[in-house]
Amino acid sequence: MNQDFLQHTRAEEGLPAPHGASGEWGRFEGDVVCRWDDDGRTMTVLEPFVYIDPRCLCWRVTAGTRIDGASIPRAFWSVIGGPYEIGFRSAAVVHGAACKDLIRPWRSVHRMFYEACRCSGVDAPKAKMMYYAVFHFGPRWHTEERSSLAAGIRHVDVIIRNDTPAPPTEVDVAKIVDYFVSHQVAAQDIPTLDVLDSGD
């Protein structure tokens, strides 16, 4: 399919307009406007889009960015109906772009996804479960700087290593979903929470 995909996310969800003062979960500026690419799997962002998080950090998605939803582990797509379902679309686009840019630490990027989900109106239990999914199974990277001296000039090379863990199994996903249905979980505890080794 190769057609324009115009998503005025906030209006469709019946949520307040994104402009103005930041709320508890920040705010979005602009609309997600994308076009499906010829491969039928990726989309190209046509207009700039910004999420400003609760700490007033700007997460920018530039025009021309290609996204494919892969920053959200595919095993969890069935839980939310896919990364571009209403409620998750804006957060998924910003998260996908940040996982391609690799500018900020992966832990911060995944935390941002949780906050962007809440900003989009996703309920707390589901947003926390998806935060767990991206934190424990989503993209990870490690950045190193290596310097060298040649002809009296110092050179610094930035090396990015992919540390993404193995994907979860269907059994893993079922256990994680059950855990978040039956437990109250604080967002700040998710980075250290090991549901698969919890014994519940």
Side-chain angles (χ1 to χ4, degrees):
M1 177 166 58
N2 186 13
Q3 62 184 26
D4 285 357
F5 176 71
L6 179 60
Q7 172 55 33
H8 297 282
T9 305
R10 304 290 291 196
E12 283 194 10
E13 294 171 9
L15 298 171
H19 304 285
S22 293
E24 178 183 3
W25 300 109
R27 71 181 188 273
F28 293 103
E29 292 187 351
D31 296 309
V32 175
V33 182
C34 296
R35 180 190 64 241
W36 285 107
D37 296 330
D38 290 338
D39 60 16
R41 298 186 309 274
T42 61
M43 293 191 295
T44 298
V45 176
L46 301 179
E47 296 181 9
F49 180 67
V50 178
Y51 171 57
I52 300 174
D53 72 18
R55 289 161 296 286
C56 294
L57 287 176
C58 289
W59 301 82
R60 301 183 186 278
V61 182
T62 59
T65 299
R66 296 182 69 197
I67 54 174
D68 57 9
S71 66
I72 300 173
R74 186 174 291 271
F76 286 89
W77 285 15
S78 61
V79 177
I80 61 174
Y84 302 121
E85 288 297 307
I86 290 176
F88 286 95
R89 285 174 181 163
S90 298
V93 168
V94 178
H95 185 252
C99 287
K100 286 183 177 293
D101 292 342
L102 306 179
I103 295 172
R104 291 182 170 132
W106 64 267
R107 291 175 178 83
S108 300
V109 170
H110 297 334
R111 173 73 189 200
M112 174 274 291
F113 176 67
Y114 166 69
E115 293 168 340
C117 285
R118 298 291 285 125
C119 185
S120 292
V122 177
D123 64 72
K126 184 170 281 190
K128 290 173 184 176
M129 181 180 61
M130 294 310 297
Y131 177 30
Y132 184 93
V134 297
F135 191 95
H136 291 278
F137 300 103
R140 295 185 184 183
W141 54 91
H142 178 72
T143 304
E144 297 177 355
E145 290 187 357
R146 294 182 182 175
S147 61
S148 59
L149 192 64
I153 300 175
R154 176 185 164 92
H155 299 274
V156 177
D157 294 320
V158 176
I159 299 171
I160 299 175
R161 187 177 71 227
N162 183 351
D163 293 329
T164 302
T169 66
E170 290 184 9
V171 173
D172 293 338
V173 172
K175 183 170 183 179
I176 291 165
V177 171
D178 288 345
Y179 186 92
F180 277 85
V181 167
S182 59
H183 291 74
Q184 293 282 343
V185 180
Q188 63 266 25
D189 294 336
I190 286 175
T192 58
L193 177 63
D194 188 351
V195 170
L196 302 181
D197 196 34
S198 66
D200 288 350

